[in-house]
Amino acid sequence: MRILFSSMSLPGHLNPVLPYAQALRDQGHEVRYCTPKAVADKIEKAGLIHVPSRDTSLDEIIEAFAGTEDLPQNEKDKIIIPRCFVELAAGRALPTVRETIASWKPDLIIRESCEFAALIAAREANVPHVRIAVVHSEMERKFAQFSVEAVDALSASIGLAADAGASLISEPAYTAFPASLGKTRVAEDAPDLHRVQLPQEEVNDTPQTWTPETDAPLIYVTFGTQSGTNERERAIYRTALDAVADLPVRVLLTTGPNMAEHPLGKIPANVTVETFVPQNEVFKHAKLVVTHGGSGTVLGALSAGLPLVVAPMFADQPDNARAVDAAGCGTAVFDASPESLRMAIEHVLEDRTFGDAAQAVADEMRSFDSIDQAAQRMLEHVSHPAQAR
């Protein structure tokens, strides 16, 4: 069977989808992956055939966000989702996706939930399509609602009639998010989500410079690989350093590449700073994760049974923070200060109920289908689309 994948190129969009593409390739299917040129090396490293679409620059993304900085998050989402994800990103990808469908004729199209070119092109070509939900269910609902007019406009540009979101609502969806973090569907008549385990990755046991050498608990502090593009994002690193400076803990802070050019100031003696460390290697040693609430970090920590302190900034992070707080597997700290962040860290470390709740979520996530099982289920949408829901 021929299967075309399509996603945006940022890690939070690409990384959750690659394991599905690799699983279907390993099961003997022909797989191609459409995503911007900028990540060609990553697609090649994954052993997949890359169909490169046009890149969207960081400056263009920043411009798409212009004028929304001081808006409430929901109002910001109403602007950003159609402007950035549909008009800009999907507009760039649509010609490539259409051309690939016309020439290669895939049997199934699998897209990530923030990539709309594949949704439009699949409907035009009448090819079955499924969605990998890479964000929290509440944000999934926002993407479905706030994208409708822009998707219909982009569809009209290629002569396709509007469908008012019907193709998205009826689309089968797969997610690694557990129901304990929220059961919201994109619409009342949307099919139930298929829940899938995170892929199991090998852990490097070789001691590293950050590996704890004392009995003091290790706190892992990460604000993702893309933070640091503006002053607000950069400020959270200093806030976190000041919050942990006097605590009887060891801390690993990873900065991501964007912060490499920005000084952090004085580093407390109990903190080790690295640009990047594979998070699954850290989770083996950590007792607590302090994060901005990116989906990859939240899901990875919870799958390892680790409680969280979430200091959200933008996008789906506030939804993730509220979900973690409501599930009792961590606490949310909005508009974090060193004092409020320190109090939250101490509270989660001292109260065992947070760790117990995180372990319960980990147990829930282990009950899901594996990536291989989910990939096989996806194929059922080709021959038995109604039953596969």
Side-chain angles (χ1 to χ4, degrees), residues 184-228:
T184 306
R185 291 180 290 178
V186 296
E188 287 297 321
D189 54 342
D192 288 332
L193 291 164
H194 300 290
R195 301 192 188 271
V196 187
Q197 294 180 31
L198 294 176
Q200 302 300 309
E201 301 178 7
E202 293 185 5
V203 177
N204 180 9
D205 289 326
T206 304
Q208 305 293 321
T209 56
W210 55 266
T211 304
E213 297 179 352
T214 70
D215 293 333
L218 176 68
I219 296 176
Y220 177 37
V221 181
T222 176
F223 301 108
T225 57
Q226 299 302 310
S227 292

Side-chain angles (χ1 to χ4, degrees), residues 194-334:
H194 300 290
R195 301 192 188 271
V196 187
Q197 294 180 31
L198 294 176
Q200 302 300 309
E201 301 178 7
E202 293 185 5
V203 177
N204 180 9
D205 289 326
T206 304
Q208 305 293 321
T209 56
W210 55 266
T211 304
E213 297 179 352
T214 70
D215 293 333
L218 176 68
I219 296 176
Y220 177 37
V221 181
T222 176
F223 301 108
T225 57
Q226 299 302 310
S227 292
T229 59
N230 60 54
E231 188 56 40
R232 183 188 176 202
E233 293 175 14
R234 292 191 283 271
I236 192 64
Y237 290 88
R238 188 66 248 170
T239 298
L241 289 171
D242 291 341
V244 301
D246 299 323
L247 295 179
V249 297
R250 293 295 305 165
V251 178
L252 170 64
L253 168 68
T254 56
T255 63
N258 292 334
M259 282 297 295
E261 300 176 1
H262 301 284
L264 293 173
K266 183 179 179 181
I267 306 300
N270 62 340
V271 177
T272 299
V273 178
E274 300 283 351
T275 301
F276 173 79
V277 176
Q279 64 180 19
N280 63 315
E281 295 182 10
V282 186
F283 291 157
K284 180 179 178 180
H285 302 279
K287 297 297 183 184
L288 168 67
V289 177
V290 178
T291 178
H292 61 323
S295 294
T297 302
V298 168
L299 292 175
L302 291 176
S303 71
L306 294 174
L308 297 131
V309 170
V310 186
M313 291 183 282
F314 53 80
D316 59 335
Q317 297 162 18
D319 292 322
N320 289 339
R322 284 186 284 266
V324 165
D325 200 279
C329 50
T331 188
V333 183
F334 291 87

Side-chain angles (χ1 to χ4, degrees), residues 309-389:
V309 170
V310 186
M313 291 183 282
F314 53 80
D316 59 335
Q317 297 162 18
D319 292 322
N320 289 339
R322 284 186 284 266
V324 165
D325 200 279
C329 50
T331 188
V333 183
F334 291 87
D335 299 320
S337 66
E339 294 75 23
S340 63
L341 196 58
R342 183 185 304 113
M343 289 177 61
I345 291 169
E346 290 176 321
H347 182 42
V348 175
L349 281 176
E350 293 169 1
D351 189 338
R352 292 183 57 182
T353 61
F354 291 105
D356 292 342
Q359 188 57 58
V361 175
D363 293 341
E364 177 188 357
M365 295 173 75
R366 277 194 290 272
S367 72
F368 300 162
D369 283 348
S370 68
I371 289 281
D372 285 336
Q373 290 170 324
Q376 290 176 347
R377 182 190 286 268
M378 286 176 170
L379 302 179
E380 298 175 15
H381 299 293
V382 177
S383 53
H384 304 289
Q387 294 92 322
R389 288 192 187 181

Side-chain angles (χ1 to χ4, degrees), residues 97-180:
V97 177
R98 293 180 73 205
E99 180 182 341
T100 303
I101 293 173
S103 60
W104 192 54
K105 302 189 183 308
D107 302 292
L108 176 67
I109 294 172
I110 300 174
R111 72 179 187 97
E112 56 98 351
S113 48
C114 304
E115 200 296 288
F116 291 93
L119 176 70
I120 295 169
R123 186 164 74 91
E124 179 190 33
N126 197 29
V127 178
H129 52 96
V130 302
R131 179 175 78 252
I132 297 173
V134 299
V135 292
H136 182 265
S137 59
E138 182 62 26
M139 184 58 80
E140 286 280 308
R141 184 187 62 79
K142 292 178 184 178
F143 265 88
Q145 291 182 344
F146 299 160
S147 66
V148 170
E149 291 185 6
V151 167
D152 280 347
L154 188 56
S155 299
S157 74
I158 61 171
L160 190 62
D163 80 340
S167 57
L168 188 155
I169 290 171
S170 63
E171 189 176 48
Y174 293 73
T175 185
F177 276 89
S180 57

